[in-house]
Amino acid sequence: MKHRKYFQALSALIVGFTFALGLSISGMTQPSKVLGFLTIDKNWDPTLIFVMLGAIPVHAFTYYFARRRKSPLLDTEWHMPSATKITKELIIGSLLFGIGWGLAGYCPGPALTSLGSGSIQAVYFVAAMIAGMFVHRLFQKSLSK
């Protein structure tokens, strides 16, 4: 397909916009909603569970039918992760992600979506996230030498 890259970019834009819209409508761009879910006390907010219960079946249905195809609609092959082992790095990264999520109430998708609202919290979070990615890259390069 001659214009495959164009359609891939357009598809990514549409999917990203739809995801951001869903995050916004569900309130998941509000750190107070996420922290309300993670803080189990008399003010506990179960909203996040309902968002997940709505998203998981949609994903499972779509994934089931998509994987039955020989290749994706806009590419010649599937690009699936090859790693299958639980490693020390995976556990440490997961812990860091969870701690950051619990402290800030943001994960990457909602934080990027919240940038559009002008939230200064989101700006700080995204700046820290980018800095963390940069430090990780430097660390990985130093290990490979």
Side-chain angles (χ1 to χ4, degrees):
M1 177 184 268
K2 185 177 178 182
H3 301 290
R4 183 176 355 156
K5 294 285 183 195
Y6 169 77
F7 286 115
Q8 287 174 335
L10 182 61
S11 166
L13 180 68
I14 291 168
V15 169
F17 179 77
T18 304
F19 181 61
L21 188 62
L23 288 171
S24 297
I25 291 170
S26 66
M28 292 301 113
T29 57
Q30 301 169 20
S32 60
K33 282 277 195 191
V34 174
L35 294 174
F37 172 75
L38 296 174
T39 306
I40 301 176
D41 64 7
K42 64 180 178 156
N43 299 318
W44 182 65
D45 182 356
T47 309
L48 183 57
I49 289 174
F50 296 110
V51 172
M52 288 183 191
L53 288 174
I56 291 170
V58 171
H59 168 74
F61 177 81
T62 306
Y63 185 79
Y64 174 78
F65 286 105
R67 289 295 291 163
R68 295 181 82 188
R69 294 182 52 85
K70 193 174 191 176
S71 66
L73 288 173
L74 300 175
D75 207 342
T76 57
E77 63 181 289
W78 291 104
H79 302 277
M80 301 300 289
S82 58
T84 58
K85 293 183 181 175
I86 297 175
T87 63
K88 177 178 69 171
E89 293 81 7
L90 177 64
I91 292 170
I92 291 169
S94 300
L95 286 170
L96 287 172
F97 179 90
I99 290 167
W101 191 43
L103 290 173
Y106 279 123
C107 62
L112 291 171
T113 302
S114 294
L115 286 176
S117 72
S119 166
I120 194 68
Q121 284 180 302
V123 171
Y124 290 146
F125 181 88
V126 171
M129 181 176 71
I130 291 169
M133 291 162 59
F134 180 72
V135 168
H136 176 263
R137 181 167 285 174
L138 289 176
F139 183 72
Q140 288 297 100
K141 282 184 180 180
S142 71
L143 287 179
S144 65
K145 289 183 181 180

Short mmCIF file of all heavy atoms in Angstrom, two decimals, residues 33-101:
data_model
loop_
_atom_site.label_atom_id
_atom_site.label_comp_id
_atom_site.label_asym_id
_atom_site.label_seq_id
_atom_site.Cartn_x
_atom_site.Cartn_y
_atom_site.Cartn_z
N LYS A 33 -9.80 11.32 41.25
CA LYS A 33 -10.56 10.10 40.98
C LYS A 33 -9.69 8.86 41.20
O LYS A 33 -10.10 7.89 41.82
CB LYS A 33 -11.08 10.08 39.54
CG LYS A 33 -12.28 10.93 39.31
CD LYS A 33 -13.50 10.16 39.71
CE LYS A 33 -14.73 10.84 39.15
NZ LYS A 33 -15.91 10.26 39.73
N VAL A 34 -8.47 8.91 40.66
CA VAL A 34 -7.55 7.78 40.78
C VAL A 34 -7.12 7.61 42.23
O VAL A 34 -7.13 6.50 42.77
CB VAL A 34 -6.33 7.97 39.85
CG1 VAL A 34 -5.31 6.88 40.07
CG2 VAL A 34 -6.78 7.99 38.39
N LEU A 35 -6.74 8.71 42.87
CA LEU A 35 -6.33 8.63 44.27
C LEU A 35 -7.50 8.20 45.16
O LEU A 35 -7.29 7.48 46.14
CB LEU A 35 -5.76 9.97 44.73
CG LEU A 35 -4.45 10.37 44.03
CD1 LEU A 35 -4.03 11.78 44.44
CD2 LEU A 35 -3.35 9.37 44.30
N GLY A 36 -8.72 8.60 44.80
CA GLY A 36 -9.90 8.16 45.53
C GLY A 36 -10.10 6.65 45.42
O GLY A 36 -10.61 6.01 46.34
N PHE A 37 -9.67 6.06 44.31
CA PHE A 37 -9.75 4.62 44.14
C PHE A 37 -8.63 3.92 44.92
O PHE A 37 -8.84 2.87 45.54
CB PHE A 37 -9.65 4.25 42.66
CG PHE A 37 -9.52 2.78 42.41
CD1 PHE A 37 -10.63 1.95 42.54
CD2 PHE A 37 -8.31 2.22 42.07
CE1 PHE A 37 -10.53 0.59 42.33
CE2 PHE A 37 -8.20 0.86 41.85
CZ PHE A 37 -9.31 0.04 41.99
N LEU A 38 -7.44 4.50 44.89
CA LEU A 38 -6.28 3.88 45.54
C LEU A 38 -6.28 4.05 47.06
O LEU A 38 -5.55 3.34 47.75
CB LEU A 38 -4.99 4.45 44.95
CG LEU A 38 -4.75 4.16 43.47
CD1 LEU A 38 -3.52 4.91 42.97
CD2 LEU A 38 -4.62 2.67 43.22
N THR A 39 -7.07 4.99 47.56
CA THR A 39 -7.15 5.22 49.00
C THR A 39 -8.42 4.55 49.52
O THR A 39 -9.53 5.03 49.28
CB THR A 39 -7.21 6.74 49.31
OG1 THR A 39 -6.09 7.36 48.68
CG2 THR A 39 -7.19 6.99 50.80
N ILE A 40 -8.21 3.43 50.19
CA ILE A 40 -9.37 2.67 50.65
C ILE A 40 -9.73 3.14 52.07
O ILE A 40 -9.12 2.73 53.05
CB ILE A 40 -9.08 1.16 50.61
CG1 ILE A 40 -8.74 0.76 49.17
CG2 ILE A 40 -10.28 0.37 51.13
CD1 ILE A 40 -8.35 -0.67 48.97
N ASP A 41 -10.69 4.03 52.12
CA ASP A 41 -11.22 4.53 53.38
C ASP A 41 -12.70 4.85 53.18
O ASP A 41 -13.30 4.40 52.20
CB ASP A 41 -10.42 5.74 53.89
CG ASP A 41 -10.50 6.96 52.97
OD1 ASP A 41 -11.28 6.94 51.99
OD2 ASP A 41 -9.78 7.94 53.22
N LYS A 42 -13.29 5.63 54.06
CA LYS A 42 -14.74 5.91 53.96
C LYS A 42 -15.09 6.70 52.69
O LYS A 42 -16.23 6.69 52.25
CB LYS A 42 -15.23 6.66 55.20
CG LYS A 42 -14.63 8.02 55.37
CD LYS A 42 -15.16 8.70 56.61
CE LYS A 42 -14.46 10.04 56.71
NZ LYS A 42 -15.12 11.02 57.42
N ASN A 43 -14.12 7.38 52.06
CA ASN A 43 -14.37 8.16 50.84
C ASN A 43 -13.94 7.42 49.58
O ASN A 43 -13.75 8.04 48.53
CB ASN A 43 -13.63 9.50 50.92
CG ASN A 43 -14.11 10.34 52.08
OD1 ASN A 43 -15.30 10.41 52.36
ND2 ASN A 43 -13.18 10.94 52.80
N TRP A 44 -13.77 6.10 49.68
CA TRP A 44 -13.29 5.30 48.55
C TRP A 44 -14.19 5.50 47.33
O TRP A 44 -15.41 5.51 47.44
CB TRP A 44 -13.24 3.83 48.94
CG TRP A 44 -12.71 2.95 47.86
CD1 TRP A 44 -11.46 2.95 47.34
CD2 TRP A 44 -13.42 1.92 47.17
NE1 TRP A 44 -11.35 1.99 46.37
CE2 TRP A 44 -12.54 1.34 46.25
CE3 TRP A 44 -14.72 1.44 47.24
CZ2 TRP A 44 -12.90 0.30 45.41
CZ3 TRP A 44 -15.08 0.39 46.40
CH2 TRP A 44 -14.17 -0.16 45.50
N ASP A 45 -13.55 5.67 46.15
CA ASP A 45 -14.28 5.91 44.90
C ASP A 45 -14.04 4.74 43.94
O ASP A 45 -12.95 4.60 43.39
CB ASP A 45 -13.79 7.22 44.28
CG ASP A 45 -14.51 7.58 42.99
OD1 ASP A 45 -15.35 6.80 42.52
OD2 ASP A 45 -14.23 8.67 42.46
N PRO A 46 -15.03 3.87 43.70
CA PRO A 46 -14.84 2.69 42.85
C PRO A 46 -14.95 2.97 41.35
O PRO A 46 -14.96 2.04 40.55
CB PRO A 46 -15.97 1.77 43.31
CG PRO A 46 -17.06 2.70 43.69
CD PRO A 46 -16.36 3.90 44.31
N THR A 47 -15.00 4.22 40.95
CA THR A 47 -15.22 4.57 39.53
C THR A 47 -14.25 3.85 38.60
O THR A 47 -14.64 3.38 37.53
CB THR A 47 -15.09 6.09 39.33
OG1 THR A 47 -15.91 6.75 40.28
CG2 THR A 47 -15.49 6.50 37.93
N LEU A 48 -12.97 3.76 38.98
CA LEU A 48 -11.96 3.16 38.13
C LEU A 48 -12.30 1.70 37.80
O LEU A 48 -12.06 1.24 36.68
CB LEU A 48 -10.58 3.26 38.77
CG LEU A 48 -9.39 2.75 37.97
CD1 LEU A 48 -9.28 3.43 36.62
CD2 LEU A 48 -8.10 2.94 38.76
N ILE A 49 -12.87 0.98 38.75
CA ILE A 49 -13.26 -0.41 38.50
C ILE A 49 -14.29 -0.47 37.36
O ILE A 49 -14.20 -1.31 36.47
CB ILE A 49 -13.86 -1.06 39.76
CG1 ILE A 49 -12.77 -1.30 40.79
CG2 ILE A 49 -14.55 -2.39 39.43
CD1 ILE A 49 -13.29 -1.81 42.12
N PHE A 50 -15.24 0.44 37.37
CA PHE A 50 -16.28 0.43 36.34
C PHE A 50 -15.72 0.80 34.97
O PHE A 50 -16.15 0.26 33.95
CB PHE A 50 -17.45 1.33 36.75
CG PHE A 50 -18.14 0.84 37.99
CD1 PHE A 50 -18.04 1.54 39.17
CD2 PHE A 50 -18.86 -0.34 37.96
CE1 PHE A 50 -18.66 1.06 40.32
CE2 PHE A 50 -19.49 -0.83 39.10
CZ PHE A 50 -19.38 -0.11 40.29
N VAL A 51 -14.74 1.70 34.96
CA VAL A 51 -14.07 2.04 33.70
C VAL A 51 -13.37 0.80 33.15
O VAL A 51 -13.47 0.47 31.97
CB VAL A 51 -13.08 3.21 33.90
CG1 VAL A 51 -12.24 3.43 32.65
CG2 VAL A 51 -13.83 4.48 34.27
N MET A 52 -12.65 0.09 34.03
CA MET A 52 -11.96 -1.13 33.60
C MET A 52 -12.94 -2.21 33.16
O MET A 52 -12.71 -2.89 32.15
CB MET A 52 -11.08 -1.66 34.73
CG MET A 52 -9.87 -0.84 35.00
SD MET A 52 -8.92 -1.65 36.30
CE MET A 52 -7.75 -0.40 36.70
N LEU A 53 -14.03 -2.38 33.90
CA LEU A 53 -15.03 -3.40 33.55
C LEU A 53 -15.68 -3.09 32.20
O LEU A 53 -16.15 -4.00 31.52
CB LEU A 53 -16.09 -3.52 34.64
CG LEU A 53 -15.61 -4.20 35.93
CD1 LEU A 53 -16.72 -4.14 36.99
CD2 LEU A 53 -15.19 -5.64 35.68
N GLY A 54 -15.71 -1.83 31.83
CA GLY A 54 -16.22 -1.47 30.51
C GLY A 54 -15.18 -1.65 29.42
O GLY A 54 -15.50 -2.05 28.30
N ALA A 55 -13.92 -1.39 29.74
CA ALA A 55 -12.86 -1.43 28.73
C ALA A 55 -12.37 -2.85 28.43
O ALA A 55 -12.06 -3.17 27.28
CB ALA A 55 -11.68 -0.58 29.19
N ILE A 56 -12.29 -3.69 29.44
CA ILE A 56 -11.71 -5.03 29.24
C ILE A 56 -12.50 -5.87 28.24
O ILE A 56 -11.90 -6.46 27.33
CB ILE A 56 -11.52 -5.75 30.60
CG1 ILE A 56 -10.40 -5.05 31.38
CG2 ILE A 56 -11.21 -7.23 30.41
CD1 ILE A 56 -10.26 -5.50 32.82
N PRO A 57 -13.82 -5.96 28.32
CA PRO A 57 -14.54 -6.76 27.31
C PRO A 57 -14.41 -6.20 25.89
O PRO A 57 -14.31 -6.96 24.94
CB PRO A 57 -16.00 -6.71 27.78
CG PRO A 57 -15.97 -6.30 29.19
CD PRO A 57 -14.72 -5.50 29.38
N VAL A 58 -14.39 -4.87 25.77
CA VAL A 58 -14.23 -4.26 24.44
C VAL A 58 -12.87 -4.65 23.88
O VAL A 58 -12.75 -5.06 22.72
CB VAL A 58 -14.38 -2.73 24.51
CG1 VAL A 58 -13.99 -2.08 23.19
CG2 VAL A 58 -15.80 -2.35 24.91
N HIS A 59 -11.83 -4.57 24.70
CA HIS A 59 -10.49 -4.95 24.24
C HIS A 59 -10.44 -6.45 23.90
O HIS A 59 -9.90 -6.82 22.85
CB HIS A 59 -9.44 -4.64 25.31
CG HIS A 59 -8.12 -5.27 25.01
ND1 HIS A 59 -7.30 -4.80 24.02
CD2 HIS A 59 -7.51 -6.37 25.52
CE1 HIS A 59 -6.22 -5.58 23.95
NE2 HIS A 59 -6.33 -6.52 24.85
N ALA A 60 -10.97 -7.29 24.78
CA ALA A 60 -10.91 -8.73 24.55
C ALA A 60 -11.62 -9.12 23.25
O ALA A 60 -11.09 -9.90 22.45
CB ALA A 60 -11.54 -9.47 25.74
N PHE A 61 -12.77 -8.55 23.00
CA PHE A 61 -13.53 -8.82 21.78
C PHE A 61 -12.73 -8.38 20.55
O PHE A 61 -12.56 -9.14 19.60
CB PHE A 61 -14.87 -8.08 21.86
CG PHE A 61 -15.72 -8.22 20.64
CD1 PHE A 61 -16.50 -9.35 20.44
CD2 PHE A 61 -15.76 -7.20 19.69
CE1 PHE A 61 -17.30 -9.48 19.31
CE2 PHE A 61 -16.56 -7.32 18.55
CZ PHE A 61 -17.32 -8.46 18.36
N THR A 62 -12.23 -7.16 20.58
CA THR A 62 -11.48 -6.62 19.45
C THR A 62 -10.20 -7.41 19.23
O THR A 62 -9.85 -7.75 18.09
CB THR A 62 -11.14 -5.13 19.70
OG1 THR A 62 -12.36 -4.44 19.97
CG2 THR A 62 -10.46 -4.50 18.51
N TYR A 63 -9.48 -7.71 20.30
CA TYR A 63 -8.21 -8.45 20.20
C TYR A 63 -8.44 -9.84 19.61
O TYR A 63 -7.69 -10.29 18.75
CB TYR A 63 -7.57 -8.56 21.59
CG TYR A 63 -6.21 -9.19 21.59
CD1 TYR A 63 -5.09 -8.46 21.21
CD2 TYR A 63 -6.03 -10.52 21.96
CE1 TYR A 63 -3.83 -9.03 21.21
CE2 TYR A 63 -4.78 -11.10 21.96
CZ TYR A 63 -3.68 -10.35 21.59
OH TYR A 63 -2.44 -10.92 21.58
N TYR A 64 -9.49 -10.51 20.07
CA TYR A 64 -9.80 -11.86 19.57
C TYR A 64 -9.96 -11.85 18.05
O TYR A 64 -9.36 -12.67 17.35
CB TYR A 64 -11.07 -12.39 20.24
CG TYR A 64 -11.52 -13.71 19.67
CD1 TYR A 64 -10.90 -14.89 20.03
CD2 TYR A 64 -12.58 -13.76 18.77
CE1 TYR A 64 -11.31 -16.11 19.50
CE2 TYR A 64 -13.00 -14.97 18.23
CZ TYR A 64 -12.37 -16.13 18.59
OH TYR A 64 -12.77 -17.33 18.06
N PHE A 65 -10.76 -10.93 17.54
CA PHE A 65 -11.00 -10.91 16.09
C PHE A 65 -9.82 -10.35 15.32
O PHE A 65 -9.52 -10.80 14.21
CB PHE A 65 -12.29 -10.16 15.78
CG PHE A 65 -13.51 -10.96 16.12
CD1 PHE A 65 -14.25 -10.65 17.25
CD2 PHE A 65 -13.88 -12.06 15.37
CE1 PHE A 65 -15.35 -11.40 17.59
CE2 PHE A 65 -14.98 -12.82 15.70
CZ PHE A 65 -15.73 -12.50 16.81
N ALA A 66 -9.11 -9.39 15.89
CA ALA A 66 -7.95 -8.83 15.20
C ALA A 66 -6.85 -9.88 15.04
O ALA A 66 -6.23 -10.00 13.98
CB ALA A 66 -7.42 -7.62 15.96
N ARG A 67 -6.61 -10.67 16.08
CA ARG A 67 -5.53 -11.67 16.03
C ARG A 67 -5.86 -12.85 15.10
O ARG A 67 -4.96 -13.61 14.75
CB ARG A 67 -5.22 -12.19 17.43
CG ARG A 67 -4.53 -11.18 18.29
CD ARG A 67 -3.16 -10.82 17.79
NE ARG A 67 -2.28 -11.95 17.95
CZ ARG A 67 -1.13 -12.10 17.35
NH1 ARG A 67 -0.69 -11.18 16.51
NH2 ARG A 67 -0.39 -13.16 17.54
N ARG A 68 -7.08 -12.99 14.70
CA ARG A 68 -7.44 -14.05 13.76
C ARG A 68 -7.01 -13.69 12.34
O ARG A 68 -6.98 -14.55 11.46
CB ARG A 68 -8.94 -14.32 13.81
CG ARG A 68 -9.34 -14.88 15.19
CD ARG A 68 -10.78 -15.17 15.26
NE ARG A 68 -10.98 -16.49 14.64
CZ ARG A 68 -12.15 -17.02 14.40
NH1 ARG A 68 -13.24 -16.36 14.70
NH2 ARG A 68 -12.25 -18.20 13.84
N ARG A 69 -6.68 -12.42 12.14
CA ARG A 69 -6.22 -11.96 10.82
C ARG A 69 -4.77 -12.37 10.63
O ARG A 69 -4.01 -12.48 11.58
CB ARG A 69 -6.33 -10.43 10.73
CG ARG A 69 -7.75 -9.91 10.77
CD ARG A 69 -7.77 -8.39 10.63
NE ARG A 69 -7.02 -7.93 9.48
CZ ARG A 69 -7.48 -7.85 8.23
NH1 ARG A 69 -8.72 -8.18 7.99
NH2 ARG A 69 -6.73 -7.41 7.25
N LYS A 70 -4.39 -12.55 9.39
CA LYS A 70 -3.01 -12.91 9.06
C LYS A 70 -2.06 -11.76 9.38
O LYS A 70 -0.93 -11.98 9.82
CB LYS A 70 -2.93 -13.26 7.57
CG LYS A 70 -1.68 -13.93 7.15
CD LYS A 70 -1.79 -14.34 5.69
CE LYS A 70 -0.66 -15.26 5.31
NZ LYS A 70 -0.79 -15.75 3.95
N SER A 71 -2.52 -10.53 9.17
CA SER A 71 -1.72 -9.34 9.47
C SER A 71 -2.67 -8.19 9.83
O SER A 71 -3.85 -8.25 9.52
CB SER A 71 -0.86 -8.95 8.26
OG SER A 71 -1.68 -8.54 7.18
N PRO A 72 -2.14 -7.16 10.46
CA PRO A 72 -2.99 -6.00 10.78
C PRO A 72 -3.49 -5.32 9.50
O PRO A 72 -2.91 -5.51 8.41
CB PRO A 72 -2.05 -5.06 11.54
CG PRO A 72 -0.85 -5.85 11.87
CD PRO A 72 -0.77 -6.99 10.92
N LEU A 73 -4.52 -4.52 9.63
CA LEU A 73 -5.07 -3.84 8.46
C LEU A 73 -4.07 -2.91 7.80
O LEU A 73 -4.04 -2.79 6.57
CB LEU A 73 -6.30 -3.01 8.87
CG LEU A 73 -7.56 -3.78 9.20
CD1 LEU A 73 -8.63 -2.84 9.74
CD2 LEU A 73 -8.07 -4.53 7.98
N LEU A 74 -3.24 -2.23 8.58
CA LEU A 74 -2.36 -1.20 8.03
C LEU A 74 -0.88 -1.56 8.12
O LEU A 74 -0.02 -0.69 8.14
CB LEU A 74 -2.61 0.13 8.75
CG LEU A 74 -4.04 0.67 8.63
CD1 LEU A 74 -4.21 1.92 9.48
CD2 LEU A 74 -4.38 0.96 7.18
N ASP A 75 -0.58 -2.85 8.18
CA ASP A 75 0.82 -3.28 8.20
C ASP A 75 0.90 -4.68 7.60
O ASP A 75 -0.12 -5.33 7.37
CB ASP A 75 1.36 -3.28 9.63
CG ASP A 75 2.86 -3.06 9.69
OD1 ASP A 75 3.55 -3.26 8.66
OD2 ASP A 75 3.36 -2.69 10.76
N THR A 76 2.12 -5.13 7.35
CA THR A 76 2.30 -6.43 6.72
C THR A 76 2.49 -7.56 7.73
O THR A 76 2.40 -8.72 7.38
CB THR A 76 3.53 -6.40 5.78
OG1 THR A 76 4.67 -6.01 6.54
CG2 THR A 76 3.30 -5.44 4.63
N GLU A 77 2.79 -7.21 9.00
CA GLU A 77 3.01 -8.22 10.02
C GLU A 77 2.63 -7.68 11.40
O GLU A 77 2.56 -6.48 11.61
CB GLU A 77 4.47 -8.68 10.04
CG GLU A 77 5.43 -7.57 10.41
CD GLU A 77 6.88 -8.03 10.42
OE1 GLU A 77 7.24 -8.80 11.32
OE2 GLU A 77 7.63 -7.60 9.52
N TRP A 78 2.39 -8.62 12.33
CA TRP A 78 2.11 -8.24 13.71
C TRP A 78 3.43 -7.91 14.40
O TRP A 78 4.44 -8.57 14.16
CB TRP A 78 1.42 -9.39 14.45
CG TRP A 78 0.04 -9.65 13.97
CD1 TRP A 78 -0.37 -10.68 13.17
CD2 TRP A 78 -1.12 -8.87 14.24
NE1 TRP A 78 -1.71 -10.58 12.92
CE2 TRP A 78 -2.21 -9.47 13.57
CE3 TRP A 78 -1.37 -7.71 14.97
CZ2 TRP A 78 -3.50 -8.98 13.62
CZ3 TRP A 78 -2.65 -7.22 15.03
CH2 TRP A 78 -3.70 -7.84 14.36
N HIS A 79 3.43 -6.93 15.27
CA HIS A 79 4.62 -6.56 16.04
C HIS A 79 4.30 -6.79 17.52
O HIS A 79 3.86 -5.89 18.22
CB HIS A 79 4.99 -5.09 15.80
CG HIS A 79 5.25 -4.79 14.36
ND1 HIS A 79 6.46 -5.04 13.76
CD2 HIS A 79 4.45 -4.30 13.38
CE1 HIS A 79 6.39 -4.70 12.48
NE2 HIS A 79 5.18 -4.25 12.23
N MET A 80 4.51 -8.01 17.96
CA MET A 80 4.17 -8.40 19.32
C MET A 80 5.45 -8.50 20.15
O MET A 80 6.50 -8.85 19.63
CB MET A 80 3.45 -9.76 19.32
CG MET A 80 2.17 -9.78 18.50
SD MET A 80 0.93 -8.62 19.07
CE MET A 80 0.45 -9.41 20.58
N PRO A 81 5.35 -8.21 21.46
CA PRO A 81 6.53 -8.34 22.32
C PRO A 81 7.01 -9.78 22.34
O PRO A 81 6.20 -10.72 22.33
CB PRO A 81 6.03 -7.93 23.70
CG PRO A 81 4.68 -7.35 23.52
CD PRO A 81 4.17 -7.77 22.18
N SER A 82 8.31 -9.96 22.37
CA SER A 82 8.86 -11.31 22.40
C SER A 82 9.23 -11.74 23.82
O SER A 82 9.39 -12.92 24.09
CB SER A 82 10.09 -11.40 21.49
OG SER A 82 11.06 -10.45 21.90
N ALA A 83 9.38 -10.79 24.73
CA ALA A 83 9.75 -11.13 26.11
C ALA A 83 8.58 -11.80 26.82
O ALA A 83 7.45 -11.35 26.72
CB ALA A 83 10.16 -9.87 26.87
N THR A 84 8.87 -12.90 27.49
CA THR A 84 7.82 -13.62 28.21
C THR A 84 8.18 -13.86 29.67
O THR A 84 7.34 -14.35 30.42
CB THR A 84 7.55 -14.99 27.55
OG1 THR A 84 8.77 -15.74 27.52
CG2 THR A 84 7.01 -14.81 26.13
N LYS A 85 9.39 -13.52 30.07
CA LYS A 85 9.84 -13.80 31.44
C LYS A 85 9.62 -12.59 32.34
O LYS A 85 9.71 -11.44 31.91
CB LYS A 85 11.33 -14.15 31.45
CG LYS A 85 11.62 -15.46 30.76
CD LYS A 85 13.07 -15.82 30.85
CE LYS A 85 13.31 -17.12 30.13
NZ LYS A 85 14.70 -17.46 30.08
N ILE A 86 9.32 -12.88 33.59
CA ILE A 86 9.24 -11.83 34.60
C ILE A 86 10.64 -11.62 35.14
O ILE A 86 11.23 -12.53 35.73
CB ILE A 86 8.26 -12.23 35.73
CG1 ILE A 86 6.85 -12.39 35.15
CG2 ILE A 86 8.29 -11.21 36.85
CD1 ILE A 86 5.83 -12.90 36.13
N THR A 87 11.18 -10.44 34.88
CA THR A 87 12.55 -10.14 35.27
C THR A 87 12.60 -9.14 36.42
O THR A 87 11.59 -8.50 36.75
CB THR A 87 13.32 -9.53 34.08
OG1 THR A 87 12.69 -8.29 33.73
CG2 THR A 87 13.33 -10.46 32.88
N LYS A 88 13.77 -9.01 37.00
CA LYS A 88 13.98 -8.04 38.08
C LYS A 88 13.67 -6.63 37.57
O LYS A 88 13.03 -5.84 38.27
CB LYS A 88 15.44 -8.13 38.57
CG LYS A 88 15.80 -7.13 39.64
CD LYS A 88 17.24 -7.32 40.11
CE LYS A 88 18.16 -6.90 38.99
NZ LYS A 88 19.57 -6.82 39.36
N GLU A 89 14.09 -6.33 36.36
CA GLU A 89 13.84 -5.01 35.78
C GLU A 89 12.35 -4.74 35.61
O GLU A 89 11.88 -3.63 35.86
CB GLU A 89 14.55 -4.87 34.43
CG GLU A 89 16.06 -4.84 34.51
CD GLU A 89 16.72 -6.21 34.63
OE1 GLU A 89 16.02 -7.24 34.54
OE2 GLU A 89 17.93 -6.26 34.85
N LEU A 90 11.61 -5.76 35.20
CA LEU A 90 10.16 -5.61 35.05
C LEU A 90 9.50 -5.33 36.40
O LEU A 90 8.64 -4.45 36.51
CB LEU A 90 9.56 -6.87 34.41
CG LEU A 90 8.04 -6.89 34.26
CD1 LEU A 90 7.57 -5.79 33.30
CD2 LEU A 90 7.57 -8.25 33.78
N ILE A 91 9.91 -6.05 37.41
CA ILE A 91 9.34 -5.86 38.75
C ILE A 91 9.67 -4.48 39.29
O ILE A 91 8.80 -3.77 39.80
CB ILE A 91 9.81 -6.98 39.71
CG1 ILE A 91 9.19 -8.31 39.27
CG2 ILE A 91 9.45 -6.64 41.16
CD1 ILE A 91 9.76 -9.52 39.97
N ILE A 92 10.93 -4.05 39.15
CA ILE A 92 11.34 -2.72 39.63
C ILE A 92 10.58 -1.63 38.87
O ILE A 92 10.07 -0.68 39.46
CB ILE A 92 12.86 -2.54 39.51
CG1 ILE A 92 13.58 -3.45 40.51
CG2 ILE A 92 13.27 -1.08 39.74
CD1 ILE A 92 15.08 -3.56 40.30
N GLY A 93 10.50 -1.77 37.55
CA GLY A 93 9.76 -0.80 36.74
C GLY A 93 8.29 -0.73 37.12
O GLY A 93 7.71 0.35 37.22
N SER A 94 7.69 -1.89 37.37
CA SER A 94 6.28 -1.93 37.77
C SER A 94 6.08 -1.26 39.13
O SER A 94 5.10 -0.52 39.33
CB SER A 94 5.80 -3.38 37.84
OG SER A 94 5.91 -4.00 36.59
N LEU A 95 6.99 -1.51 40.06
CA LEU A 95 6.90 -0.87 41.37
C LEU A 95 7.04 0.65 41.25
O LEU A 95 6.27 1.40 41.87
CB LEU A 95 7.97 -1.43 42.31
CG LEU A 95 7.72 -2.84 42.84
CD1 LEU A 95 8.95 -3.37 43.56
CD2 LEU A 95 6.51 -2.87 43.75
N LEU A 96 8.00 1.10 40.45
CA LEU A 96 8.17 2.55 40.26
C LEU A 96 6.94 3.17 39.62
O LEU A 96 6.50 4.25 40.02
CB LEU A 96 9.42 2.84 39.41
CG LEU A 96 10.76 2.62 40.10
CD1 LEU A 96 11.90 2.75 39.09
CD2 LEU A 96 10.93 3.59 41.25
N PHE A 97 6.38 2.48 38.63
CA PHE A 97 5.16 2.97 37.98
C PHE A 97 4.03 3.08 39.00
O PHE A 97 3.34 4.10 39.09
CB PHE A 97 4.75 2.03 36.84
CG PHE A 97 3.49 2.45 36.14
CD1 PHE A 97 3.54 3.29 35.06
CD2 PHE A 97 2.25 2.00 36.58
CE1 PHE A 97 2.38 3.69 34.41
CE2 PHE A 97 1.08 2.38 35.94
CZ PHE A 97 1.15 3.24 34.85
N GLY A 98 3.83 2.04 39.79
CA GLY A 98 2.76 2.01 40.77
C GLY A 98 2.93 3.07 41.85
O GLY A 98 1.96 3.73 42.25
N ILE A 99 4.16 3.26 42.31
CA ILE A 99 4.43 4.29 43.32
C ILE A 99 4.13 5.67 42.75
O ILE A 99 3.47 6.49 43.38
CB ILE A 99 5.87 4.17 43.84
CG1 ILE A 99 6.03 2.90 44.68
CG2 ILE A 99 6.26 5.41 44.65
CD1 ILE A 99 7.48 2.54 44.98
N GLY A 100 4.61 5.92 41.53
CA GLY A 100 4.36 7.21 40.88
C GLY A 100 2.87 7.45 40.67
O GLY A 100 2.36 8.55 40.90
N TRP A 101 2.17 6.42 40.26
CA TRP A 101 0.72 6.51 40.03
C TRP A 101 0.01 6.82 41.34
O TRP A 101 -0.88 7.67 41.40
CB TRP A 101 0.23 5.19 39.43
CG TRP A 101 -1.16 5.19 38.90
CD1 TRP A 101 -1.76 6.16 38.14
CD2 TRP A 101 -2.13 4.16 39.06
NE1 TRP A 101 -3.04 5.78 37.81
CE2 TRP A 101 -3.30 4.55 38.37
CE3 TRP A 101 -2.13 2.93 39.70
CZ2 TRP A 101 -4.44 3.77 38.31
CZ3 TRP A 101 -3.26 2.15 39.64
CH2 TRP A 101 -4.41 2.58 38.95
#
